[in-house]
Amino acid sequence: MTSIKDVAEAAGVSTATVSRVLSNKPHVSDELRQRVLQAVQRLDYRPNLIARSLRTRQSDTIGLVVADIRNPYFTAVSRAVEDMAYEQGISVYLCNTDEDPEKEALYLQVLRKENVAGIIFSPTRRSAQDLNVFDVPTVAIDRPVRSAKVDSVLIDNFEAAYKLTEHLIQNGYRRIGALFGAASSTGRERRRGFERALNDHGLQIPSPDLVNFVQPKVGSGREAALEMLSASPAPQALFTSNSLLTAGALMAMREKGLRIPEDIGLVGFDDTTWSALVEPGITVISQPTDDIGRTATELLLQRISDPQRAAREVILKGELVVRGSSAPRKSAQQVDKAAQELHPNGRA
């Protein structure tokens, strides 16, 4: 389908200029107007009716409120939202809450005053429990909210965590430590999947010193992982519920001088650029961030066009990406045998 961006490129103008021409607004020269109309005809462009409804009813801007823009997951989702909005001639205000309910409330109020047509956001725990007072068309991402008029785009966190844990178990890991984000329901859902996989394979839930809820930040992940790695007996692998905690756990392992996966395995969520570049690469659940962002934007446009329609919940699937950090665990006998084969006379 031809987009407004295609028309803009063909005419050599901005999408905003195309939008002004199609809306028959002033302040566009005759020469530019003619170029745009010729491009529209040449490409057989048909304006998106939902986006047109959005622009005529309110404004041509939407808000995007994320928990932590430093988290590669939210960076990727934000890019997908902005890409699709741009294709429709819509601008995006980006706000970052740092999982702070007060900061979130401030930005939501600012966006309302700016008269944005709608908002896509990842709610803090407080707003996830009660968003009934908010009257702007809204789509929640990553975390659901308890409101009849809020659409949501999520992934199946339970299944993804189950799949990741089962992969470790099948590769011989039994004593598995886990770090979960404490800021939202996502961490709790992933813990349920983690524990169910252990139960289904006849393994006990780890002791409290090997399961921890922490703030989803690199520093918090490092500190918690260092404590786990000092436990006796130490874990055979660590499971982390987002990429920032994975980075923190990796830092802790290197500080301890541990080899991955010979001494300890590591798995996490989100297929970041660095997760494939480190040696060995990190086994992860890859979340469909592009689909999440684009689906959320599409749902928001539909909600703006039809405010009374029933709310929709779209649940997408994560994909297990296996790399060297979770290679099959060798038994003590296998390690001794490998060492003997490498140094048959006991000399280095």
Side-chain angles (χ1 to χ4, degrees):
M1 182 185 299
T2 302
S3 69
I4 194 172
K5 181 180 178 182
D6 297 325
V7 175
E9 291 178 350
V13 299
S14 68
T15 56
T17 298
V18 175
S19 179
R20 286 197 294 273
V21 171
L22 295 177
S23 301
N24 200 29
K25 292 183 178 179
H27 310 303
V28 179
S29 69
D30 291 340
E31 188 269 335
L32 284 182
R33 189 180 301 275
Q34 188 63 27
R35 278 165 49 190
V36 169
L37 292 176
Q38 288 175 352
V40 167
Q41 184 176 13
R42 185 167 65 253
L43 297 176
D44 193 27
Y45 172 65
R46 289 175 172 78
N48 183 292
L49 296 180
I50 294 175
R52 173 178 286 179
S53 174
L54 181 156
R55 286 190 290 270
T56 56
R57 289 187 183 190
Q58 286 193 16
S59 68
D60 57 357
T61 59
I62 62 173
L64 175 59
V65 183
V66 300
D68 186 352
I69 195 61
R70 293 173 301 181
N71 185 328
Y73 165 81
F74 288 116
T75 305
V77 170
S78 298
R79 178 56 191 262
V81 170
E82 193 274 336
D83 282 348
M84 186 167 184
Y86 180 77
E87 290 170 6
Q88 302 299 331
I90 300 167
S91 300
V92 180
Y93 289 135
L94 175 62
C95 305
N96 181 75
T97 69
D98 291 321
E99 303 285 7
D100 181 348
E102 302 302 326
K103 193 174 181 182
E104 176 190 60
L106 171 65
Y107 280 134
L108 291 177
Q109 190 61 33
V110 167
L111 291 173
R112 174 188 280 168
K113 290 180 179 178
E114 288 293 328
N115 196 37
V116 295
I119 294 175
I120 298 170
F121 86 131
S122 56
T124 62
R125 185 177 300 178
R126 180 189 298 178
S127 59
Q129 293 173 349
D130 183 13
L131 199 68
N132 292 320
V133 298
F134 200 62
D135 56 4
V136 176
T138 302
V139 176
I141 55 173
D142 192 53
R143 305 108 183 240
V145 299
R146 298 176 183 173
S147 173
K149 293 185 178 180
V150 175
D151 300 296
S152 56
V153 183
L154 316 169
I155 78 156
D156 191 333
N157 289 300
F158 178 91
E159 181 198 63
Y162 188 104
K163 189 185 303 183
L164 198 57
T165 308
E166 185 175 57
H167 166 74
L168 284 174
I169 296 170
Q170 291 174 342
N171 278 5
Y173 299 90
R174 295 294 181 268
R175 184 172 170 81
I176 305 171
L179 294 174
F180 300 99
S184 70
S185 61
T186 302
R188 297 191 298 275
E189 292 169 2
R190 291 176 183 176
R191 179 176 179 173
R192 287 198 306 108
F194 169 76
E195 293 183 346
R196 176 66 66 82
L198 294 176
N199 283 329
D200 287 353
H201 288 81
L203 299 178
Q204 290 186 340
I205 304 302
S207 57
D209 62 336
L210 288 186
V211 177
N212 202 350
F213 280 89
V214 298
Q215 288 300 309
K217 300 182 182 297
V218 174
S220 302
R222 171 185 167 275
E223 292 175 7
L226 284 172
E227 291 184 8
M228 289 185 180
L229 297 176
S230 299
S232 182
Q236 297 172 344
L238 287 185
F239 170 114
T240 61
S241 72
N242 73 44
S243 62
L244 300 181
L245 294 180
T246 306
L250 181 60
M251 291 173 63
M253 292 174 182
R254 288 181 170 174
E255 287 182 41
K256 288 284 190 178
L258 298 175
R259 299 168 301 165
I260 304 171
E262 292 86 355
D263 300 322
I264 189 168
L266 176 64
V267 298
F269 274 72
D270 301 323
D271 195 14
T272 63
T273 301
W274 67 263
S275 63
L277 295 178
V278 297
E279 183 60 39
I282 309 299
T283 293
V284 296
I285 289 290
S286 175
Q287 300 193 71
T289 52
D290 191 68
D291 288 342
I292 292 170
R294 287 185 169 271
T295 301
T297 308
E298 181 179 353
L299 285 178
L300 183 62
L301 296 179
Q302 292 175 4
R303 168 66 58 191
I304 294 166
S305 179
D306 183 9
Q308 301 306 315
R309 71 168 176 77
R312 289 186 58 193
E313 180 180 79
V314 178
I315 300 180
L316 304 174
K317 301 289 186 179
E319 178 185 359
L320 178 65
V321 179
V322 177
R323 299 192 178 100
S325 69
S326 60
R329 180 174 171 78
K330 294 182 179 180
S331 66
Q333 292 81 2
Q334 288 174 312
V335 173
D336 290 343
K337 181 180 178 180
Q340 181 63 27
E341 291 175 350
L342 184 63
H343 307 295
N345 298 319
R347 297 191 300 272

